[in-house]
């Protein structure tokens, strides 16, 4: 059936897209500016920042303290598209001018200590600070938030600061924000004062950091405080309506904190630690100093936790508090000193939680990807400032894994400790790190540097040697080697692989090799795989089995009871498709399930209902409205995208969803914006939709409809 096939395609594509979003916590390297750090040393910024979310505007007053190190006639502070007024140097009016990038102070500066520069500024940030759902026409249910992203964007889009990572400043920031909301920023919260309509949040930091690590988030939040074994405060935020998701989302937070302090061998370097989920975030997470912001799409219940959880990103952003925040690369060439380290230490934390097989499995997976890139001639040196995130993150982690094997645990940990101590609150290059490792190990690491840091090809043979230290990997590779072998010849091996206690990954591999096979011996193995009761092995069946044989129908139906939203989504669709007589039963059984953050099961369920009108004929309209309602512009983009896909397959856009689609073509999330643009292009091929889109756009703003107009030439 055409419709069913298309739905299945779309749903597989979505799973792939979903995994891709998960793995691409892409952060661009900072742009390199002409350094003025040799002439001036900025020490402290005291700023008062009023955020006016209803008009998406920021008004602030900054008070910079700095030393002049050498004679100079111009001082620059980055501030994009800002208006500057009341500019004073040591309380005297001073000559200045500004362009779209920054303010220039013109003065005959001579070496001196503790100079003071103050000014007021106003700006309407176009990036760097994001205003979610503040348009007045919004629905009551819409989450109103403001949050920032400084890396890959610029903090100087909303706060006069430095686009250069080597200028480290102690930031003491106060924010004024509408009083109904909570506000989170770097440092210790000193006071909260209330005015008639606002609250003033005063934060304090005691040590310096780079500007890209300044961050704030505001919204309707509650929080819980936990304490690490060493006594550090960990404050975890959540939206009140998500209280049941708090525990599974933040599961292992204290364990991760304790593990990293122990493993790194240096105490957590900042006053406190906070984490806050935000809607429509640009990345997986961002390690603002002491105040990690992460994507609300990581919110999960205990069932979803098994398939995808926040543990990796939780550990990754925390590891950055040492690697990146405390010790910062001078420029993008050394970006792996941030991302490779955060990836490696997150993997170590996961190893402590999920076990050694997990650790080696992740290394194996990334080695496969890196080898593929390398074999296609596109391998990248770790020190290429334009390298992909695969290189910075995964090749970086591999480089540290190999280095630790070379120098041994003790030297590795000593080298790390010395490196962090020596360069705390300073900037580093790769050579600085290698020097500490050579000192700690007494080894000459020049060959290692060539092989792992400089060379663009991936050292696949060395990696394989390392992976083979894991007995699990050896066993896995033995099974994976049978992919091209006939079932008769490998039957016994696959059967043994499914013996109790089955290994998650090896069991999955055995099942994957059965895909498309319709023989009695394949069914026998499937039956054994079902009986392992291993959730991941059963998931592999749900995802890869094509035609469900009558003899395994009861087993396949039991997948609807599994604690895996991936299994249930795949099983529901396949059962609905292949056993039309029993559609009512399957829909009844899955009636109350939502699934992941993007409501994967709920939306599939609604769609299947709409094309099974005999199930509940009186509810068709309700179900349609619920599905179309998920496209609303105030909904998280992950829900909108999922709902758009289903409406497209149903050929059933209503005016509201078309309006939301037009708005989506201007969304700040690149992937979603492109998705909306491509879908809009498709709809424009249909004359009826085309006319509707044109009519709807007449009541929308020029900005919202700019993409549509570029496509219809009017
Ligand atoms: Zn990172």
């Amino acid at each position: 059936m055409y419709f069913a096939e298309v739905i299945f395609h779309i749903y597989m594509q979505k799973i792939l897209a979903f995994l891709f979003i998960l793995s691409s916590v892409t952060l661009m390297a900072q742009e390199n500016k002409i350094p003025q750090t040799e002439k001036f040393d900025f020490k402290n910024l005291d700023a008062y920042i009023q955020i006016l979310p209803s008009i998406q505007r920021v008004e602030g007053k900054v008070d910079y303290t700095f030393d002049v190190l050498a004679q100079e006639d111009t001082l620059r502070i980055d501030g994009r598209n800002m208006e500057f007024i009341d500019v004073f140097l040591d309380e005297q009016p001073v000559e200045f001018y500004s362009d779209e990038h920054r303010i220039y102070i013109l003065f005959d500066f001579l070496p001196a200590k503790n100079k003071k520069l103050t000014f007021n500024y106003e700006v309407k940030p176009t990036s760097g600070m994001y205003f979610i759902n503040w348009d007045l026409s919004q629905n009551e249910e819409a989450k109103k938030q403001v949050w920032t992203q400084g890396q890959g964007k610029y903090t100087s889009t909303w706060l006069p600061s430095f686009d250069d990572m080597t200028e480290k400043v102690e930031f003491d920031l106060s924010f004024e924000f509408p009083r109904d909301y909570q506000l989170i920023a770097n440092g210790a919260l000193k006071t909260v004062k209330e005015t008639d309509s606002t609250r003033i949040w005063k934060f304090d930091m005691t040590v310096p950091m780079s500007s890209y690590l300044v961050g704030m988030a505001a919204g309707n939040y509650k929080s819980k405080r936990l304490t690490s074994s060493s006594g550090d405060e960990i404050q975890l935020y959540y939206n009140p309506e998500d209280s049941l998701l708090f525990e599974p989302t933040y599961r292992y937070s204290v364990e991760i904190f304790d593990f990293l302090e122990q493993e790194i061998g240096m105490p957590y370097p900042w006053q406190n630690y906070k984490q806050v989920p935000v809607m429509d975030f640009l990345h997986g997470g961002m390690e603002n100093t002491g105040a990690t912001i992460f994507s609300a799409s990581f919110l999960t219940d205990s069932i979803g936790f098994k398939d995808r959880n926040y543990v990796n990103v939780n550990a990754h952003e925390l590891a950055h508090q040492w690697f990146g925040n405390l010790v910062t690369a001078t420029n993008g060439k050394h970006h792996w000193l941030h991302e490779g380290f955060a990836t490696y230490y997150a993997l170590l934390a996961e190893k402590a939680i999920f076990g050694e097989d997990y650790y080696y499995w992740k290394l194996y997976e990334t080695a496969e990807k890196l080898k593929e890139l390398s074999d296609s001639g596109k391998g990248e040196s770790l020190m290429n400032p334009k390298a992909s995130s695969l290189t910075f993150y995964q090749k970086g982690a591999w480089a540290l894994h190999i280095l630790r094997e070379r120098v041994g645990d003790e030297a590795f940990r000593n080298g790390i400790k010395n490196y962090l101590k020596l360069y705390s609150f300073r900037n580093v290059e790769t050579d600085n790190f290698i020097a500490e490792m050579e000192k700690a190990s007494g080894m000459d690491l020049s060959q290692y540097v060539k092989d792992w840091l400089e060379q663009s090809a991936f050292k696949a043979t060395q990696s394989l040697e390392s992976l083979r230290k894991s007995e699990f990997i050896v066993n896995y590779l033995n099974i994976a080697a049978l992919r091209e072998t006939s079932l008769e010849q490998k039957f016994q091996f696959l059967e043994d692989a499914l013996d109790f206690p089955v290994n998650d990954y090896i069991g999955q591999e055995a099942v994957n090799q059965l895909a498309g096979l319709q023989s009695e011996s394949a069914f026998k193995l499937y039956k054994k795989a079902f009986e392992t009761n291993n959730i991941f092995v059963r998931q592999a069946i749900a995802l890869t089995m094509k035609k469900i044989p009558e003899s395994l129908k009861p087993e396949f139906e039991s997948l609807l009871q599994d604690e895996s939203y991936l299994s249930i989504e795949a099983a529901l669709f396949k059962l609905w498709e292949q056993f039309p007589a029993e559609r009512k039963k399957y829909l009844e059984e899955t009636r109350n399930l939502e699934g992941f953050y993007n409501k994967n099961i709920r939306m599939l369920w609604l769609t299947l209902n709409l094309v099974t009108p005999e199930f509940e004929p009186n509810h068709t309209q309700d179900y349609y409205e619920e599905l179309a309602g998920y496209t609303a512009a105030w909904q998280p983009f992950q829900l909108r995208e999922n709902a758009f896909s289903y409406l497209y397959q149903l050929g059933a856009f209503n005016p509201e969803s078309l309006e939301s689609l037009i708005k989506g073509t201007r969304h700040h999330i690149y992937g979603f914006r492109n998705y909306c643009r491509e879908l809009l292009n498709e709809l424009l091929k249909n004359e009826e939709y085309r006319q509707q889109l044109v009519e709807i756009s007449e009541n929308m703003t020029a900005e919202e409809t700019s993409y549509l107009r570029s496509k219809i030439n009017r």
Side-chain angles (χ1 to χ4, degrees):
M1 189 167 126
Y2 175 69
F3 170 76
E5 271 175 18
V6 175
I7 289 263
F8 183 70
H9 262 284
I10 288 282
Y11 123 77
M12 283 312 290
Q13 276 171 1
K14 271 184 296 166
I15 288 177
L16 291 174
F18 190 45
L19 292 172
F20 179 71
I21 291 167
L22 259 182
S23 64
S24 59
V25 192
T26 314
L27 296 171
M28 279 161 48
Q30 296 279 308
E31 189 185 329
N32 202 7
K33 286 261 151 14
I34 309 147
Q36 68 171 359
T37 42
E38 281 160 34
K39 303 283 173 70
F40 298 99
D41 178 20
F42 282 84
K43 298 195 295 195
N44 178 274
L45 168 64
D46 213 314
Y48 186 95
I49 301 143
Q50 182 171 17
I51 299 174
L52 305 159
S54 57
I55 51 169
Q56 308 199 355
R57 199 169 170 78
V58 173
E59 297 178 9
K61 180 180 188 323
V62 299
D63 190 337
Y64 266 111
T65 308
F66 64 99
D67 293 346
V68 184
L69 306 175
Q71 186 174 0
E72 181 60 292
D73 55 15
T74 311
L75 179 156
R76 301 184 303 270
I77 295 176
D78 299 313
R80 296 183 178 241
N81 303 306
M82 286 178 177
E83 280 177 57
F84 299 96
I85 40 172
D86 300 335
V87 184
F88 291 93
L89 180 65
D90 291 327
E91 299 182 4
Q92 299 296 318
V94 65
E95 198 181 335
F96 73 95
Y97 70 96
S98 63
D99 59 20
E100 73 260 42
H101 296 295
R102 61 186 64 84
I103 182 171
Y104 303 80
I105 310 294
L106 307 176
F107 187 79
D108 187 12
F109 290 101
L110 294 171
K113 291 246 174 228
N114 295 321
K115 307 281 287 176
K116 280 222 181 277
L117 178 72
T118 62
F119 56 82
N120 293 339
Y121 72 97
E122 295 187 6
V123 67
K124 203 170 156 56
T126 51
S127 71
M129 180 177 274
Y130 296 83
F131 300 88
I132 308 295
N133 284 336
W134 292 87
D135 330 30
L136 293 173
S137 61
Q138 297 297 345
N139 182 307
E140 290 268 300
E141 289 173 78
K143 281 192 173 78
K144 289 185 169 164
Q145 297 180 351
V146 174
W147 47 261
T148 60
Q149 172 63 23
Q151 190 173 37
K153 304 288 171 187
Y154 294 103
T155 296
S156 64
T157 51
W158 60 276
L159 177 69
S161 52
F162 302 95
D163 296 349
D164 174 355
M165 295 193 291
T166 64
E167 183 59 85
K168 293 197 173 193
V169 179
E170 183 195 324
F171 288 87
D172 294 323
L173 306 181
S174 296
F175 293 89
E176 186 171 347
F177 197 84
R179 64 183 284 163
D180 294 343
Y181 302 91
Q182 298 293 309
L183 191 144
I184 299 101
N186 318 92
L189 180 61
K190 286 295 170 189
T191 58
V192 186
K193 286 183 188 151
E194 298 205 346
T195 71
D196 287 348
S197 60
T198 63
R199 279 189 195 152
I200 298 161
W201 305 77
K202 187 173 168 51
F203 293 91
D204 170 72
M205 287 200 64
T206 52
V207 282
M209 66 178 184
S210 309
S211 300
Y212 80 92
L213 295 166
V214 174
M216 64 75 59
N220 181 18
Y221 290 110
K222 285 188 164 185
S223 71
K224 290 185 189 174
R225 279 168 215 263
L226 308 175
T227 310
S228 74
S229 297
S230 56
D232 284 295
E233 182 186 290
I234 305 168
Q235 194 171 2
L236 304 174
Y237 288 80
Y238 62 101
N239 295 121
E241 63 273 25
D242 297 328
S243 62
L244 294 176
L245 308 181
F246 181 91
E247 185 283 322
T249 300
Y250 286 118
R251 193 173 290 169
Y252 302 122
S253 287
V254 172
E255 286 86 345
I256 293 167
F257 199 101
D258 290 346
F259 172 82
L260 287 181
E261 279 204 313
Q262 193 70 35
E263 170 61 37
I264 293 168
M266 176 190 252
Y268 174 73
W270 313 96
Q271 288 143 290
N272 54 16
Y273 190 53
K274 297 165 242 187
Q275 300 193 62
V276 56
V278 300
M279 182 177 141
D280 287 0
F281 195 49
L282 292 158
H283 307 292
M286 175 63 207
E287 69 274 19
N288 308 298
T289 300
T292 285
I293 292 177
F294 67 96
S295 166
S297 65
F298 284 111
L299 296 177
T300 183
D301 60 19
S302 275
I303 295 176
F305 181 91
K306 297 187 176 79
D307 290 330
R308 59 177 308 236
N309 55 55
Y310 179 55
V311 171
N312 181 271
V313 177
N314 191 341
H316 179 105
E317 309 310 338
L318 182 58
H320 272 309
Q321 303 296 326
W322 288 266
F323 303 104
N325 298 13
L326 179 65
V327 172
T328 311
T330 51
N331 58 52
K333 186 178 174 195
H334 308 285
H335 194 49
W336 84 281
L337 294 176
H338 298 187
E339 298 307 341
F341 280 64
T343 304
Y344 175 68
Y345 278 90
L347 198 50
L348 291 182
E350 287 188 294
K351 182 179 167 188
I353 294 166
F354 300 127
E356 194 165 286
D357 288 357
Y358 179 94
Y359 175 80
Y360 277 102
W361 175 254
K362 290 289 160 189
L363 283 175
Y364 167 72
E365 275 189 322
T366 58
E368 287 280 295
K369 285 189 205 142
L370 287 161
K371 183 176 181 304
E372 196 186 317
L373 187 76
S374 183
D375 289 351
S376 70
K378 292 181 191 147
E380 296 164 330
S381 157
L382 257 187
M383 291 169 64
N384 172 358
K386 298 225 156 78
S388 63
S389 54
L390 179 65
T391 296
F392 284 135
Y393 288 63
Q394 307 303 347
K395 196 178 184 185
W398 257 106
L400 291 171
H401 169 79
I402 292 289
L403 178 61
R404 190 179 191 135
E405 281 189 354
R406 288 284 157 82
V407 303
D409 280 347
E410 200 189 332
F412 183 86
R413 296 181 59 178
N414 284 335
I416 290 284
K417 230 189 302 184
N418 295 340
Y419 162 74
L420 288 171
K421 244 189 235 168
L422 187 58
Y423 295 103
S424 286
F425 309 109
R426 292 169 62 194
N427 293 87
V428 278
E429 304 205 335
T430 302
D431 286 350
N432 303 130
F433 170 65
I434 295 300
E436 289 314 305
M437 280 296 164
E438 289 192 330
K439 250 185 257 172
S441 65
M443 288 167 73
D444 171 3
L445 294 173
S446 47
Q447 189 59 41
Y448 164 81
V449 169
K450 277 198 195 95
D451 287 354
W452 284 92
L453 309 186
E454 292 173 354
Q455 184 176 305
S456 57
F458 178 66
K459 285 281 179 193
T461 312
Q462 285 187 30
S463 313
L464 188 62
E465 262 169 46
S466 170
L467 287 168
R468 285 188 159 276
K469 291 177 185 158
S470 156
E471 193 190 331
F472 148 64
I473 290 288
V474 173
N475 292 337
Y476 171 82
L477 291 174
N478 288 341
I479 295 295
L482 300 172
R483 283 177 193 170
E484 306 299 320
T485 307
S486 73
L487 186 57
E488 288 69 52
Q489 283 177 300
K490 67 185 173 186
F491 183 89
Q492 196 56 52
F493 295 102
L494 296 189
E495 191 179 39
D496 292 349
L498 293 166
D499 274 345
F500 180 85
V502 67
N503 176 286
D504 296 350
Y505 309 100
I506 295 174
Q508 285 194 317
E509 173 62 28
V511 169
N512 290 343
Q513 292 189 24
L514 302 175
L517 299 179
Q518 290 290 321
S519 62
E520 279 311 311
S521 43
F523 297 159
K524 200 173 159 201
L525 290 172
Y526 270 125
K527 191 157 176 63
K528 186 165 183 185
F530 275 117
E531 284 164 2
T532 61
N533 281 328
N534 177 297
I535 206 122
F536 299 104
V537 174
R538 290 170 59 92
Q539 191 175 85
I541 305 173
L543 292 171
T544 63
M545 183 186 261
K546 291 188 176 123
K547 186 160 171 15
I548 306 162
E550 275 299 329
S551 62
L552 291 174
K553 187 168 158 245
E555 282 83 356
F556 206 89
E557 286 173 341
S558 73
L559 290 168
L560 294 178
Q561 308 295 329
D562 271 20
E563 293 212 323
S564 160
Y565 293 138
L566 280 179
S567 297
I568 296 170
E569 185 187 1
L572 172 60
F573 179 76
K574 288 181 181 178
L575 289 164
W576 178 90
E577 183 193 34
Q578 295 183 33
F579 303 104
E582 305 203 51
R583 286 177 177 174
K584 283 187 187 189
K585 182 176 91 180
Y586 303 137
L587 290 171
E588 201 54 64
E589 237 180 289
T590 49
R591 175 188 290 282
N592 297 317
L593 296 173
E594 299 270 309
F596 295 121
Y597 181 77
N598 70 345
K599 298 198 193 288
N600 62 325
I601 295 180
R602 182 65 184 168
M603 287 200 214
L604 173 64
W605 190 89
L606 292 168
T607 304
L608 295 180
N609 259 289
L610 292 171
V611 292
T612 318
E614 66 277 18
F615 178 50
E616 290 179 313
N618 299 330
H619 288 92
T620 306
Q621 189 59 26
D622 296 346
Y623 292 148
Y624 172 73
E625 275 164 24
E626 184 185 339
L627 181 62
Y630 292 128
T631 68
W634 58 269
Q635 294 274 17
F637 79 88
Q638 295 91 342
L639 270 71
R640 291 168 73 186
E641 185 170 322
N642 208 7
F644 280 141
S645 304
Y646 282 124
L647 289 187
Y648 176 64
Q649 294 311 316
L650 293 165
F653 283 86
N654 61 11
E656 291 76 23
S657 53
L658 290 175
E659 183 179 333
S660 171
L661 181 64
I662 297 171
K663 286 184 178 169
T665 62
R666 304 271 308 160
H667 199 272
H668 62 270
I669 303 284
Y670 172 82
F672 179 61
R673 179 168 73 233
N674 266 5
Y675 174 86
C676 290
R677 289 178 177 194
E678 278 169 29
L679 183 54
L680 189 76
N681 294 343
E682 278 306 306
L683 295 193
L684 283 171
K685 292 176 187 165
N686 174 309
E687 195 45 46
E688 208 173 306
Y689 277 142
R690 188 184 180 90
Q691 276 179 22
Q692 279 194 57
L693 285 162
V694 169
E695 271 170 42
I696 290 162
S697 70
E698 279 160 8
N699 294 317
M700 297 174 70
T701 67
E703 198 187 0
E704 284 169 337
T705 53
S706 59
Y707 180 78
L708 176 63
R709 280 181 290 116
S710 77
K711 290 289 148 184
I712 57 179
N713 305 317
R714 58 195 291 280

